Amino acid sequence: MLETNKVSNESVIEGNKRVKRAGGKKLKKALNFFSFVGPVYLVFIAIVLVPFIMGIYYSFTDWNGITGHIKMVGLDNYKYIFKDDLAFIASFKLTAKYTVIAVILTNIVGFGLALLVTQALKSRNILRTIFFMPNLIGGLLLGFIWQFIFNQGLISLGSILKLKFLETAMLGTANGAFWAIVIVAVWQGAGYIMVIYVAALQGVPNDLIEAAKIDGANRFQVLKKITIPMVAPAVTVCLFLTISWSFKIFDTNLSLTGGGPFGSTEMLAYNIYKEAFTNNNFGIGEAKAIVFFVVVSVITIVQVYLSKKREVEM
């Protein structure tokens, strides 16, 4: 009986030791995890989460962003945005139009460049570098560079070549300024999109392409039936990025056209900036930013869902 009790006690003690060792390992793993991830969480909370929550609060006030007087106005800011703020509605429509055009052109040009630099060319590495370089230039600097090109470079070239359509200042008309923004955005973003498509194209099996060619498929058929379905995941990523970039365009809009001429190229982000920091209507600006956030979130979620569904079907 005593021996049985002794064995039982030893088993309990051994079990407790195992539990303590397991608990110590879990604690060590948790400490290691938070020592690496914890600082990132803290920075995210301080820089993203807290300002976002404060922005939601300020969107229900009439704060001007300067004084300490803050008055709650409820949903008045949101009612004003959708009923009386015609500039915001016009900016929203313009941004939606710009997004559709810029997303399509950027992806087409980026994919075309990717097809080019994945061919057996001796200069393909140099071409990749050249095509990617515009993405390294900041939007503000890029806008000022292209402003000089549109306002002086092309006009001088038109005068030399006697081409009247080049002698007209492109940024002087609403339609011309809009397409100028599109050109600059595509020129800057296509190189980055190209890199993603290049990585996807390099993952397409060559033996599959060779087998299709042996069966009589031409280049267009190979592209349509094999290449595009195989790079569908990259298309999802590129669409997500370009939609996000296009909706959030600000620096190029600010430096290239400044919203002109006469507010005809004032994109949504620039309209929010002017409302909050130029007109000192911080509460209304925050309300616009919240609406902007919700719209972009919904559009990107729907786009990713549909693209993923399309991947499965392909």
Side-chain angles (χ1 to χ4, degrees), residues 77-137:
N77 290 336
Y78 292 94
K79 292 177 182 178
Y80 169 77
I81 291 172
F82 292 108
K83 288 184 178 181
D84 302 323
D85 196 343
L86 299 179
F88 177 76
I89 297 173
S91 296
F92 189 91
K93 292 179 180 178
L94 181 68
T95 305
K97 174 185 174 182
Y98 163 79
T99 299
V100 172
I101 296 173
V103 166
I104 293 173
L105 291 180
T106 303
N107 279 276
I108 290 175
V109 174
F111 187 71
L113 295 177
L115 289 174
L116 175 65
V117 299
T118 51
Q119 302 299 315
L121 301 174
K122 292 183 179 180
S123 60
R124 62 180 180 271
N125 290 330
I126 297 176
L127 290 175
R128 291 181 186 182
T129 304
I130 293 173
F131 294 148
F132 184 77
M133 281 180 65
N135 192 260
L136 301 177
I137 306 175

Side-chain angles (χ1 to χ4, degrees), residues 162-313:
K162 304 301 181 182
L163 298 174
K164 291 185 178 181
F165 72 94
L166 288 179
E167 293 180 5
T168 304
M170 192 171 183
L171 299 180
T173 63
N175 190 55
F178 173 81
W179 284 104
I181 297 175
V182 172
I183 291 170
V184 175
V186 173
W187 184 77
Q188 182 185 27
Y192 189 93
I193 298 303
M194 175 200 70
V195 173
I196 299 175
Y197 281 130
V198 166
L201 289 171
Q202 289 176 340
V204 178
N206 289 326
D207 53 351
L208 191 61
I209 296 176
E210 293 298 329
K213 290 181 179 179
I214 292 172
D215 289 338
N218 55 37
R219 289 187 177 181
F220 177 75
Q221 289 173 329
V222 170
L223 179 65
K224 181 180 178 181
K225 299 295 184 180
I226 297 175
T227 305
I228 293 179
M230 293 291 289
V231 301
V235 174
T236 300
V237 174
C238 290
L239 285 176
F240 174 81
L241 289 174
T242 49
I243 289 174
S244 177
W245 294 344
S246 300
F247 264 109
K248 296 187 299 183
I249 184 173
F250 171 74
D251 45 5
T252 304
N253 187 200
L254 174 64
S255 59
L256 184 62
T257 66
F262 306 108
S264 59
T265 59
E266 188 175 283
M267 299 294 179
L268 204 51
Y270 186 57
N271 177 268
I272 295 171
Y273 165 80
K274 283 182 60 179
E275 189 71 60
F277 300 106
T278 302
N279 300 336
N280 291 329
N281 294 324
F282 201 82
I284 297 176
E286 283 291 352
K288 290 182 178 182
I290 297 300
V291 173
F292 183 38
F293 168 78
V294 172
V295 170
V296 175
S297 298
V298 171
I299 291 175
T300 51
I301 290 171
V302 171
Q303 174 265 312
V304 171
Y305 170 76
L306 294 177
S307 299
K308 288 290 184 182
K309 186 178 180 180
R310 180 65 176 168
E311 288 177 24
V312 175
E313 293 175 357

